[in-house]
Amino acid sequence: MDDAYKPEIIEADAQRFWDENRTFQVTEEPGRETFYCLSMFPYPSGKLHMGHVRNYTIGDVMTRYQRMQGRNVLQPMGWDAFGLPAENAAMQNNVPPAQWTRENIAAMRGQLKQLGFGYDWSREFATCDPSYYKWEQWLFTRLYRKGLAYRAVATVNWDPVDQTVLANEQVVDGKGWRSGATVERREIPQWFLRITDYADELLDALDDMPGWPEQVRAMQRNWIGRSEGVELAFAIHGREETLSVYTTRPDTLFGVSYMGLAPEHPLTRELAESNPEIAAFVEECNKAGVAEATVATMEKKGLDTGLRAVHPLTGEEIPVWIANFVLMTYGSGAIMAVPAHDQRDWEFATKYGLPIRPVIAPADGGEPDVSAEAFTDKGVLVNSGDYTGMTSDEAFEAIAGWLQQRGIGERQTNYRLRDWGVSRQRYWGAPIPIINCPTCGQVPVPDDQLPVELPEDVQFDGAGSPLKQMPEWYRTTCPQCGGAAERETDTFDTFMESSWYFARFACADNDGAMLDDRAGYWLPVDQYIGGIEHAILHLLYARFYQKVMRDEGLTIADEPFTNLLTQGMVLKDGAKMSKSKGNTVDPQALVERYGADTVRLFAMFAAPPEQSLEWSDSGVEGGYRFLKRLWHLVRNHTAQGAAPALDVAGLTDAQRDTRRKVHETIRKASEDIGRRFTFNTGIAGVMELVNTLYKAIDDDSEQGRAVMQEGLEASVLILAPIVPHICHRLWQALGHDDAVVDAAWPQVDADALTQDTLEIVVQVNGKLRGNIQVPADAERDAIETAALDEPNVQRFISDKTVRKVIVVPGKLVNVVAN
RNA sequence: GCGGGAGUGAUGGAACUGGUAGACAUACAGCACUUAAAAUGCUGAGGCGCAAGCCGUGCGGGUUCGAGUCCCGCCUCCCGCACCA
């Protein structure tokens, strides 16, 4: 073993060893306990960033730890290869998106290998491979035939100058990012998947997913947003048809003082045709992006239509307004406004001088005060005719029943969740496998014509998708009638690819089926790791896809990911790393300077995985220092030759103390690394152990060296998942012929943990006043007496009366005196 | 705006079930080694105070023998909001 720690040499050696021995290539071995560990695959943007390094190190540590537990562990890697950045790069550098993407993948694959992650590369794929998206297209045609995929119009951001659809991200302060033009809303036909058919299952299953953070489950529950309410119809003076609204608060019905229509509501449209003022207002509303955050933060604006609705209970006339804050995508696109008890309605009413009528009083009997804001709690009804005096819940039942009896309203379960729009008017995505035939309409592409391949050798100028300018590509014949027809030129949302890649890793080489028996062997994923920013969309779509694939008979699991770990962001100077802020740290440079182990160690040491991680160059330096320290300790020990066998009975007190520290560390690290995933504290524990071993460095007695050997082996085994290269070398140096990657996780020797005396702290009135040593088996009375006799405790209680003594066994005594 | 989180020394963080606040590390200071520096090893250290001690976990209240941890009300920052991935 070398005197100096030389990461560049030992890391290349270890990686060659794993490579030559195909260490991480796994096969299905029936009867063996499996563990499928998956980190969210990256978008191939060019090079790895620190968020990737952190994510993939967490996954690799879990993978290697599970391997040391003897499980058959799968850890694959692939590429989320479709998406907007490739199109932007193509415009900037005049390189086809496919070429740019594949070059990036090659570069990033090299970086991942350099970091020593234990992936089974034989399963690798990119989502832009036709052999992958073929099956996505195949499944879509099945969903279409089942009625789970359908076409409808939907609103998009439209850049009137560039004549193109914009992503929400491309709308900056209401303007197109390239043209600077004010963005407009436009309705175009789009493909949708009926995720709302699965809303109840997606929601209810959240209660039975203990391996997911409660935080993420709460976000998904709120996103799905199931509510119980009433849909009721308001008659409109002088018109045949009624105006349908959905409310979760029928108990506030007597407080309705106006109606609100979305600018996109059919009634609004009809009125706009004959009323220029309304048309102008709608046009003004349309000069805005579609993002919900934009809509929700816009200044509330409205226009009285002049129509009057009729209150179903009082017969009173209620003005009908168009309001820009009413969402066409939720409920029926119209609301009954109760400004006294809904904050948005309150703000609108205040602005336009509409009446605010309190009809709910606080349950504690106070007067409702709605002068400064709406009173949104439930309570007791007032000013509500026959219903006055009922609680909100009683009135809900009574009013809903009354409406239902008269055929005016109906109880209804509603969801905030909308169907998933999967069409994108972009080039770099999987083509939607539909042929539009003038005779037959929409016809799914037959299986034997799949995949519909995306042409990759294209000129990309950014003015819309090249597919729309490629008649040689989109002109085709109808599979049904054989007549001339055109392919769909929209491509899929990239969430489509990331919604099932985890399953495809089980059988990526199968070109005859989407999934096979091997999916049954590996799925569901035991541990999924990725950024908290994916808490809702990606994770909800993947759950939906899993259920769809299950219902297609492709797999049996109900849920895709048994355990989920959401890692926090990597920050620099308190802010998210970004090119625009100029605060990025390039992992590549750090690996070259310190080696992969140091980078991995720091990423795991600086913070627990769920928290954000503040990057620190000097912290990295500290990690490097620790590895050198460990190296030198092993070097110093092994230079004296093989260590003698341990004889537990023959240890000195000091050796026994050292050995206790060894086993306390194993116990702590097993908890921290194996169960809690607080790798930072696990590493800190080993650092403490190494500090302790340094203090025992001069004990070159037989048993001193035996304890040192045991301590070093424990340290190396515990650190092996985190810094695998150095541990690979140190394990050999400690005299082992097997590789540490195949070694078993260390076991705690309970006998080594026993102590004769314990230190107990003593408080007086909750403040620390002293500590006492007591025999480990001391009785409560003896501890109490010892605590009261402690001189400093005496000083604080001598002029007081002891009222109570609280003894927390093995820890603390609190004397209450006054 | 709505939904979900987070605030602890100079810094990253620890304190797992309500029981010694600040483990471990960084930065800093001192000592040893060195012609010197770096590297390495050892030591010190929350603030105030000579000390006894007092104060201290974003802010204001509360529960408790005891609160960073539980409850109520605020403030600030971060993540998501359906076409970024």
Side-chain angles (χ1 to χ4, degrees):
Chain A
M1 151 176 211
D2 225 310
D3 268 349
Y5 168 49
K6 292 178 183 162
E8 64 282 6
I9 294 173
I10 61 167
E11 292 189 358
D13 284 350
Q15 286 167 18
R16 194 178 315 115
F17 176 89
W18 299 325
D19 216 27
E20 285 171 0
N21 291 281
R22 300 173 196 276
T23 302
F24 298 103
Q25 265 192 43
V26 288
T27 52
E28 298 69 35
E29 297 174 45
R32 224 179 125 194
E33 194 179 350
T34 61
F35 194 86
Y36 181 1
C37 185
L38 183 67
S39 296
M40 290 182 186
F41 65 168
Y43 178 79
S45 55
K47 43 186 181 174
L48 293 183
H49 56 65
M50 276 304 167
H52 292 130
V53 173
R54 188 183 192 193
N55 193 162
Y56 301 151
T57 303
I58 294 167
D60 200 44
V61 171
M62 291 181 163
T63 294
R64 291 170 180 268
Y65 171 83
Q66 289 296 335
R67 189 187 174 97
M68 292 176 83
Q69 298 294 322
R71 304 203 168 90
N72 193 23
V73 185
L74 169 62
Q75 186 184 219
M77 183 45 73
W79 309 96
D80 190 14
F82 279 133
L84 266 187
E87 299 197 353
N88 298 333
M91 281 183 260
Q92 249 171 33
N93 313 324
N94 210 21
V95 171
Q99 186 192 330
W100 182 83
T101 301
R102 295 220 160 79
E103 285 168 5
N104 287 347
I105 288 174
M108 290 171 76
R109 185 193 298 114
Q111 291 189 300
L112 291 176
K113 289 191 173 177
Q114 237 185 340
L115 279 157
F117 298 133
Y119 298 130
D120 180 352
W121 286 106
S122 71
R123 296 167 189 264
E124 177 192 7
F125 59 78
T127 57
C128 61
D129 298 340
S131 58
Y132 179 76
Y133 64 71
K134 168 184 176 173
W135 296 108
E136 189 170 302
Q137 294 173 334
W138 174 85
L139 183 66
F140 182 81
T141 59
R142 259 135 206 86
L143 299 185
Y144 174 77
R145 291 191 185 100
K146 251 187 168 177
L148 279 175
Y150 66 96
R151 215 152 89 121
V153 290
T155 314
V156 295
N157 302 305
W158 180 255
D159 185 321
V161 170
D162 278 357
Q163 292 283 301
T164 184
V165 176
L166 296 179
N168 284 333
E169 188 194 47
Q170 298 172 313
V171 179
V172 184
D173 294 330
K175 317 253 192 251
W177 66 336
R178 290 164 62 82
S179 69
T182 298
V183 167
E184 298 172 5
R185 293 184 193 161
R186 177 170 280 210
E187 300 205 303
I188 57 173
Q190 308 246 53
W191 287 95
F192 288 87
L193 294 185
R194 272 189 219 282
I195 190 173
T196 50
D197 275 13
Y198 286 77
D200 281 324
E201 190 188 350
L202 288 166
L203 179 67
D204 294 340
L206 290 169
D207 295 335
D208 197 26
M209 291 166 63
W212 280 43
E214 184 48 45
Q215 181 201 147
V216 173
R217 290 189 279 163
M219 284 195 255
Q220 292 211 348
R221 274 187 204 108
N222 291 330
W223 185 261
I224 294 168
R226 179 160 70 192
S227 63
E228 306 299 330
V230 171
E231 183 169 289
L232 69 155
F234 281 72
I236 302 175
H237 265 299
R239 294 184 74 96
E240 291 276 304
E241 79 275 19
T242 57
L243 181 61
S244 175
V245 302
Y246 173 79
T247 178
T248 57
R249 293 294 302 273
D251 56 313
T252 63
L253 189 52
F254 281 82
V256 175
S257 61
Y258 63 99
M259 309 295 289
L261 296 177
E264 303 89 355
H265 194 277
L267 181 55
T268 311
R269 279 170 208 278
E270 189 200 316
L271 296 170
E273 279 172 26
S274 56
N275 182 329
E277 201 192 348
I278 292 177
F281 180 72
V282 169
E283 199 174 323
E284 190 195 328
C285 288
N286 278 340
K287 285 203 174 118
V290 298
E292 192 185 293
T294 311
V295 178
T297 48
M298 274 188 311
E299 193 196 342
K300 290 186 175 50
K301 281 184 186 166
L303 182 69
D304 190 348
T305 61
L307 294 180
R308 293 293 175 263
V310 183
H311 194 288
L313 286 161
T314 64
E316 188 195 358
E317 289 195 354
I318 308 164
V320 179
W321 284 63
I322 301 164
N324 66 348
F325 69 93
V326 178
L327 301 171
M328 192 60 221
T329 49
Y330 183 77
S332 60
I335 59 160
M336 57 173 233
V338 186
H341 304 293
D342 181 284
Q343 189 58 24
R344 285 168 307 176
D345 299 352
W346 187 93
E347 282 164 25
F348 190 87
T350 303
K351 176 166 179 177
Y352 289 104
L354 294 157
I356 300 176
R357 285 183 210 135
V359 292
I360 306 288
D364 60 17
E367 283 290 306
D369 176 13
V370 295
S371 56
E373 59 181 355
F375 175 74
T376 56
D377 294 352
K378 287 183 176 180
V380 178
L381 274 70
V382 294
N383 302 322
S384 294
D386 294 347
Y387 303 96
T388 298
M390 287 188 183
T391 65
S392 286
D393 290 340
E394 289 161 359
F396 183 114
E397 294 302 318
I399 294 175
W402 188 90
L403 292 168
Q404 198 147 358
Q405 258 175 25
R406 276 156 190 76
I408 305 171
E410 218 167 83
R411 276 162 215 269
Q412 196 179 304
T413 303
N414 209 15
Y415 301 89
R416 208 185 73 93
L417 179 71
R418 311 197 294 260
D419 276 341
W420 177 12
V422 296
S423 298
R424 297 292 180 270
Q425 295 70 46
R426 302 195 206 295
Y427 157 72
W428 189 233
I432 297 177
I434 294 286
I435 291 166
N436 296 306
C437 170
T439 315
C440 312
Q442 300 151 6
V443 182
V445 175
D447 292 359
D448 62 4
Q449 291 173 32
L450 292 176
V452 177
E453 280 203 45
L454 184 71
E456 294 194 350
D457 187 20
V458 295
Q459 284 298 310
F460 198 90
D461 60 11
S465 164
L467 290 182
K468 301 190 195 312
Q469 294 147 36
M470 295 175 74
E472 71 277 21
W473 183 80
Y474 64 72
R475 278 194 194 139
T476 185
T477 52
C478 172
Q480 258 171 45
C481 69
E486 288 187 359
R487 292 188 189 285
E488 176 65 74
T489 53
D490 279 2
T491 53
F492 279 134
D493 176 8
T494 58
F495 278 126
M496 286 285 273
E497 286 87 54
S498 55
S499 291
W500 70 285
Y501 76 109
F502 56 90
R504 184 66 180 174
F505 278 132
C507 51
D509 57 1
N510 191 332
D511 55 11
M514 186 173 186
L515 300 178
D516 60 31
D517 288 349
R518 290 174 290 174
Y521 178 82
W522 290 111
L523 294 178
V525 173
D526 293 282
Q527 180 68 58
Y528 195 39
I529 305 129
I532 182 68
E533 64 273 20
H534 296 290
I536 295 172
L537 292 180
H538 162 60
L539 287 168
L540 191 65
Y541 292 143
R543 293 183 58 217
F544 165 61
Y545 235 89
Q546 177 69 29
K547 292 172 196 307
V548 165
M549 291 192 292
R550 176 201 62 196
D551 292 347
E552 281 296 314
L554 296 164
T555 168
I556 51 168
D558 292 321
E559 287 288 335
F561 314 119
T562 308
N563 295 291
L564 174 69
L565 189 149
T566 49
Q567 63 152 8
M569 318 252 303
V570 181
L571 312 177
K572 180 88 204 295
D573 308 321
K576 183 177 179 172
M577 286 189 188
S578 75
K579 279 181 203 143
S580 58
K581 289 199 198 84
N583 63 345
T584 55
V585 175
D586 180 17
Q588 186 66 34
L590 289 171
V591 171
E592 278 160 21
R593 178 151 176 211
Y594 298 104
D597 281 340
T598 293
V599 176
R600 295 170 58 122
L601 180 66
F602 179 72
M604 301 308 282
F605 179 63
E610 282 99 341
Q611 278 179 36
S612 60
L613 180 155
E614 175 68 31
W615 195 264
S616 150
D617 292 335
S618 53
V620 176
E621 189 79 40
Y624 186 58
R625 205 143 48 211
F626 170 71
L627 293 180
K628 279 195 285 187
R629 227 167 120 75
L630 177 66
W631 180 273
H632 291 130
L633 190 59
V634 174
R635 169 84 188 113
N636 176 286
H637 170 72
T638 56
Q640 301 168 53
L646 184 69
D647 170 22
V648 177
L651 299 183
T652 65
D653 282 355
Q655 289 162 352
R656 221 171 33 233
D657 284 346
T658 304
R659 187 158 185 268
R660 185 185 320 116
K661 184 72 184 173
V662 172
H663 286 272
E664 279 172 353
T665 304
I666 296 173
R667 183 176 61 180
K668 176 175 173 53
S670 300
E671 275 289 291
D672 290 354
I673 296 173
R675 182 185 63 84
R676 296 175 63 209
F677 309 138
T678 51
F679 308 110
N680 57 328
T681 54
I683 293 166
V686 181
M687 286 176 169
E688 283 186 51
L689 174 58
V690 168
N691 290 344
T692 302
L693 293 177
Y694 257 91
K695 298 208 167 78
I697 205 165
D698 293 330
D699 181 0
D700 57 4
S701 69
E702 294 253 310
Q703 284 310 302
R705 299 201 57 243
V707 169
M708 178 64 77
Q709 175 81 16
E710 191 184 22
L712 289 173
E713 288 189 356
S715 301
V716 167
L717 289 169
I718 292 166
L719 292 173
I722 298 161
V723 285
H725 308 89
I726 188 174
C727 291
H728 178 78
R729 183 66 192 89
L730 294 180
W731 189 244
Q732 294 170 345
L734 286 167
H736 296 275
D737 294 330
D738 61 332
V740 75
V741 72
D742 293 317
W745 188 255
Q747 296 295 312
V748 178
D749 177 356
D751 290 342
L753 298 175
T754 56
Q755 285 188 81
D756 300 334
T757 59
L758 297 175
E759 190 189 73
I760 305 273
V761 300
V762 185
Q763 298 179 334
V764 176
N765 293 328
K767 292 194 175 179
L768 179 65
R769 295 303 179 193
N771 45 58
I772 52 174
Q773 299 287 327
V774 298
D777 56 359
E779 303 278 337
R780 193 199 143 98
D781 286 354
I783 296 171
E784 204 173 306
T785 308
L788 292 170
D789 286 350
E790 208 273 339
N792 202 43
V793 172
Q794 269 300 318
R795 214 159 63 79
F796 278 89
I797 62 173
S798 54
D799 59 342
K800 297 189 174 99
T801 312
V802 174
R803 301 288 173 192
K804 199 173 173 185
V805 179
I806 289 141
V807 179
V808 181
K811 275 205 170 146
L812 163 148
V813 176
N814 187 15
V815 181
V816 184
N818 62 9

